[in-house]
Amino acid sequence: MSHQPQPYDLISQLFHWLVVALLIGLIGTFYVHDLTPESSDLHLSSIKLHISLGLLTFVVVVARIGWSRMVGAPEPLSKWRVINFAGKGFHVLLNLATLLIPISGFLRFASKDRAAEFFGLFQIPSPIGDAPVLNDLMHILHGEPMEILLYVLVGLHVAAALWHHYIVRDHALVRMVPWSRGAACVTGG
Protein backbone atom coordinates (compact mmCIF):
# COMPACT_ATOMS: atom_id res chain seq x y z
CA MET A 1 0.00 0.00 0.00
CA SER A 2 1.32 3.42 -0.84
CA HIS A 3 -1.13 5.65 1.07
CA GLN A 4 -0.86 6.44 4.76
CA PRO A 5 -3.63 4.58 6.63
CA GLN A 6 -5.86 6.27 9.19
CA PRO A 7 -4.16 6.00 12.61
CA TYR A 8 -5.79 5.10 15.88
CA ASP A 9 -6.72 8.19 17.86
CA LEU A 10 -4.20 9.52 20.38
CA ILE A 11 -6.14 8.33 23.43
CA SER A 12 -6.36 4.78 22.03
CA GLN A 13 -2.62 4.88 21.36
CA LEU A 14 -1.92 6.08 24.91
CA PHE A 15 -4.13 3.34 26.37
CA HIS A 16 -2.28 0.75 24.26
CA TRP A 17 1.18 1.86 25.39
CA LEU A 18 0.05 2.28 29.01
CA VAL A 19 -1.13 -1.35 29.01
CA VAL A 20 2.24 -2.38 27.52
CA ALA A 21 4.08 -0.49 30.29
CA LEU A 22 1.83 -2.01 32.97
CA LEU A 23 2.39 -5.54 31.64
CA ILE A 24 6.15 -4.98 31.68
CA GLY A 25 5.84 -3.74 35.26
CA LEU A 26 3.74 -6.75 36.23
CA ILE A 27 6.21 -9.18 34.71
CA GLY A 28 9.15 -7.38 36.32
CA THR A 29 7.58 -7.31 39.79
CA PHE A 30 6.61 -10.97 39.45
CA TYR A 31 10.20 -11.98 38.72
CA VAL A 32 11.61 -9.77 41.47
CA HIS A 33 9.17 -11.36 43.92
CA ASP A 34 9.92 -14.85 42.63
CA LEU A 35 13.72 -14.45 42.76
CA THR A 36 14.14 -12.74 46.14
CA PRO A 37 14.25 -14.45 49.54
CA GLU A 38 10.90 -14.46 51.37
CA SER A 39 12.47 -12.68 54.33
CA SER A 40 13.61 -9.68 52.27
CA ASP A 41 11.84 -6.34 52.15
CA LEU A 42 12.11 -6.45 48.35
CA HIS A 43 10.11 -9.69 48.29
CA LEU A 44 7.18 -8.07 50.14
CA SER A 45 7.33 -4.70 48.40
CA SER A 46 7.49 -6.32 44.94
CA ILE A 47 4.29 -8.30 45.53
CA LYS A 48 2.54 -5.22 46.89
CA LEU A 49 3.58 -3.30 43.77
CA HIS A 50 2.54 -6.27 41.60
CA ILE A 51 -0.95 -6.25 43.17
CA SER A 52 -1.28 -2.48 42.71
CA LEU A 53 -0.17 -2.69 39.09
CA GLY A 54 -2.62 -5.55 38.51
CA LEU A 55 -5.52 -3.55 39.90
CA LEU A 56 -4.49 -0.54 37.81
CA THR A 57 -4.20 -2.75 34.71
CA PHE A 58 -7.76 -3.95 35.22
CA VAL A 59 -9.07 -0.37 35.47
CA VAL A 60 -7.04 0.79 32.45
CA VAL A 61 -8.13 -2.16 30.28
CA VAL A 62 -11.80 -1.60 31.17
CA ALA A 63 -11.39 2.11 30.31
CA ARG A 64 -9.55 1.18 27.10
CA ILE A 65 -12.33 -1.16 26.00
CA GLY A 66 -14.96 1.47 26.86
CA TRP A 67 -13.07 4.11 24.90
CA SER A 68 -12.67 1.77 21.93
CA ARG A 69 -16.41 1.06 21.93
CA MET A 70 -17.13 4.77 22.07
CA VAL A 71 -14.83 5.98 19.26
CA GLY A 72 -14.43 2.84 17.17
CA ALA A 73 -11.35 1.76 15.29
CA PRO A 74 -9.91 2.91 11.98
CA GLU A 75 -10.94 1.02 8.88
CA PRO A 76 -9.27 -2.39 8.55
CA LEU A 77 -6.27 -2.41 6.24
CA SER A 78 -6.92 -5.78 4.64
CA LYS A 79 -9.48 -6.38 1.93
CA TRP A 80 -9.66 -10.01 3.10
CA ARG A 81 -12.56 -10.64 5.49
CA VAL A 82 -10.87 -13.67 7.06
CA ILE A 83 -7.82 -11.61 8.03
CA ASN A 84 -9.99 -8.85 9.50
CA PHE A 85 -12.07 -11.43 11.39
CA ALA A 86 -8.93 -13.11 12.73
CA GLY A 87 -7.52 -9.75 13.81
CA LYS A 88 -10.70 -8.81 15.66
CA GLY A 89 -10.89 -12.22 17.29
CA PHE A 90 -7.28 -12.01 18.37
CA HIS A 91 -7.82 -8.56 19.92
CA VAL A 92 -10.82 -9.93 21.83
CA LEU A 93 -8.60 -12.73 23.20
CA LEU A 94 -5.86 -10.28 24.14
CA ASN A 95 -8.34 -7.97 25.91
CA LEU A 96 -9.93 -10.95 27.65
CA ALA A 97 -6.52 -12.13 28.89
CA THR A 98 -5.59 -8.66 30.15
CA LEU A 99 -8.87 -8.65 32.11
CA LEU A 100 -8.75 -12.23 33.39
CA ILE A 101 -5.18 -12.01 34.65
CA PRO A 102 -5.85 -9.18 37.16
CA ILE A 103 -9.22 -10.70 38.12
CA SER A 104 -7.67 -14.09 38.85
CA GLY A 105 -4.80 -12.40 40.69
CA PHE A 106 -7.19 -10.43 42.88
CA LEU A 107 -9.29 -13.53 43.58
CA ARG A 108 -6.15 -15.51 44.39
CA PHE A 109 -5.21 -12.91 46.99
CA ALA A 110 -8.76 -12.23 48.25
CA SER A 111 -9.54 -15.94 48.65
CA LYS A 112 -7.00 -15.98 51.50
CA ASP A 113 -9.14 -13.32 53.21
CA ARG A 114 -6.55 -10.62 52.50
CA ALA A 115 -7.18 -7.01 51.58
CA ALA A 116 -5.50 -5.80 48.39
CA GLU A 117 -3.57 -2.58 48.86
CA PHE A 118 -3.58 -0.05 46.02
CA PHE A 119 -0.23 1.80 46.01
CA GLY A 120 -0.58 2.36 49.77
CA LEU A 121 -3.50 4.73 49.14
CA PHE A 122 -6.35 2.45 50.18
CA GLN A 123 -7.24 -1.19 50.63
CA ILE A 124 -9.84 -3.30 48.88
CA PRO A 125 -11.15 -5.80 51.41
CA SER A 126 -11.70 -9.41 50.44
CA PRO A 127 -15.30 -9.78 49.24
CA ILE A 128 -15.19 -13.58 49.73
CA GLY A 129 -13.16 -14.32 52.85
CA ASP A 130 -11.16 -17.50 53.23
CA ALA A 131 -11.99 -19.80 50.29
CA PRO A 132 -9.33 -22.53 49.92
CA VAL A 133 -10.91 -24.21 46.88
CA LEU A 134 -11.17 -20.90 45.02
CA ASN A 135 -7.61 -20.07 46.06
CA ASP A 136 -6.37 -23.37 44.62
CA LEU A 137 -8.22 -22.68 41.34
CA MET A 138 -6.91 -19.10 41.12
CA HIS A 139 -3.41 -20.33 41.95
CA ILE A 140 -3.63 -22.43 38.78
CA LEU A 141 -5.35 -19.77 36.64
CA HIS A 142 -3.10 -16.92 37.77
CA GLY A 143 -0.05 -19.13 37.61
CA GLU A 144 2.00 -20.60 34.82
CA PRO A 145 -0.83 -21.42 32.35
CA MET A 146 -2.00 -17.79 32.26
CA GLU A 147 1.60 -16.56 32.14
CA ILE A 148 2.30 -18.76 29.12
CA LEU A 149 -0.96 -17.67 27.45
CA LEU A 150 -0.05 -14.02 27.95
CA TYR A 151 3.45 -14.52 26.49
CA VAL A 152 2.00 -16.37 23.49
CA LEU A 153 -0.67 -13.72 22.85
CA VAL A 154 1.76 -10.81 23.22
CA GLY A 155 4.33 -12.61 21.07
CA LEU A 156 1.76 -13.23 18.33
CA HIS A 157 0.58 -9.61 18.58
CA VAL A 158 4.12 -8.29 18.15
CA ALA A 159 4.82 -10.80 15.35
CA ALA A 160 1.64 -9.73 13.52
CA ALA A 161 2.57 -6.04 13.86
CA LEU A 162 6.06 -6.73 12.49
CA TRP A 163 4.63 -8.91 9.69
CA HIS A 164 2.29 -6.09 8.70
CA HIS A 165 5.11 -3.55 8.83
CA TYR A 166 7.96 -5.43 7.14
CA ILE A 167 6.28 -8.07 4.94
CA VAL A 168 2.88 -6.68 3.97
CA ARG A 169 4.12 -3.07 4.23
CA ASP A 170 0.63 -1.76 4.91
CA HIS A 171 1.71 0.73 7.60
CA ALA A 172 -0.37 -1.05 10.26
CA LEU A 173 2.33 -0.55 12.87
CA VAL A 174 2.46 3.23 12.47
CA ARG A 175 -1.28 3.43 13.20
CA MET A 176 -0.54 2.74 16.88
CA VAL A 177 2.50 4.95 17.48
CA PRO A 178 1.87 8.52 18.68
CA TRP A 179 4.84 9.94 16.78
CA SER A 180 3.57 8.78 13.36
CA ARG A 181 2.11 11.27 10.90
CA GLY A 182 -1.56 11.85 11.50
CA ALA A 183 -1.52 10.40 15.01
CA ALA A 184 -2.36 13.74 16.58
CA CYS A 185 -6.07 13.44 15.93
CA VAL A 186 -7.75 13.30 19.32
CA THR A 187 -10.84 11.27 18.49
CA GLY A 188 -11.22 8.21 16.37
CA GLY A 189 -13.83 6.78 14.09
Side-chain angles (χ1 to χ4, degrees), residues 4-84:
Q4 191 75 1
Q6 178 190 9
Y8 282 86
D9 64 279
L10 184 59
I11 294 171
S12 295
Q13 293 173 349
L14 294 174
F15 271 134
H16 176 271
W17 294 108
L18 179 56
V19 171
V20 170
L22 287 167
L23 290 177
I24 290 168
L26 285 164
I27 292 166
T29 54
F30 165 76
Y31 281 110
V32 168
H33 178 75
D34 200 43
L35 298 172
T36 53
E38 284 188 34
S39 60
S40 74
D41 289 340
L42 189 55
H43 187 78
L44 179 60
S45 61
S46 64
I47 195 62
K48 284 183 174 184
L49 181 57
H50 184 80
I51 291 166
S52 294
L53 291 173
L55 293 169
L56 182 58
T57 299
F58 177 77
V59 170
V60 168
V61 171
V62 168
R64 179 183 183 201
I65 292 168
W67 178 257
S68 176
R69 294 255 186 233
M70 210 167 60
V71 301
E75 286 297 315
L77 294 173
S78 178
K79 303 292 184 223
W80 294 73
R81 282 186 173 164
V82 69
I83 290 175
N84 294 331

Side-chain angles (χ1 to χ4, degrees), residues 61-166:
V61 171
V62 168
R64 179 183 183 201
I65 292 168
W67 178 257
S68 176
R69 294 255 186 233
M70 210 167 60
V71 301
E75 286 297 315
L77 294 173
S78 178
K79 303 292 184 223
W80 294 73
R81 282 186 173 164
V82 69
I83 290 175
N84 294 331
F85 181 76
K88 283 183 180 186
F90 183 81
H91 281 102
V92 167
L93 281 176
L94 198 53
N95 281 329
L96 192 58
T98 55
L99 286 173
L100 288 178
I101 291 169
I103 290 170
S104 62
F106 175 75
L107 290 174
R108 181 177 175 184
F109 199 74
S111 62
K112 287 197 167 209
D113 200 19
R114 296 180 182 158
E117 194 173 294
F118 186 73
F119 294 108
L121 300 172
F122 59 88
Q123 291 187 339
I124 302 170
S126 170
I128 51 180
D130 191 35
V133 173
L134 181 61
N135 183 266
D136 290 343
L137 178 61
M138 292 304 115
H139 186 76
I140 293 167
L141 289 178
H142 194 72
E144 195 173 336
M146 192 63 83
E147 180 184 359
I148 291 168
L149 176 65
L150 179 65
Y151 291 151
V152 167
L153 290 175
V154 169
L156 289 171
H157 183 65
V158 169
L162 295 174
W163 176 75
H164 273 281
H165 190 71
Y166 291 108

Side-chain angles (χ1 to χ4, degrees), residues 167-185:
I167 306 299
V168 179
R169 296 182 184 271
D170 61 5
H171 304 288
L173 187 61
V174 299
R175 291 172 20 134
M176 193 48 85
V177 291
W179 54 87
S180 70
R181 283 195 339 241
C185 68

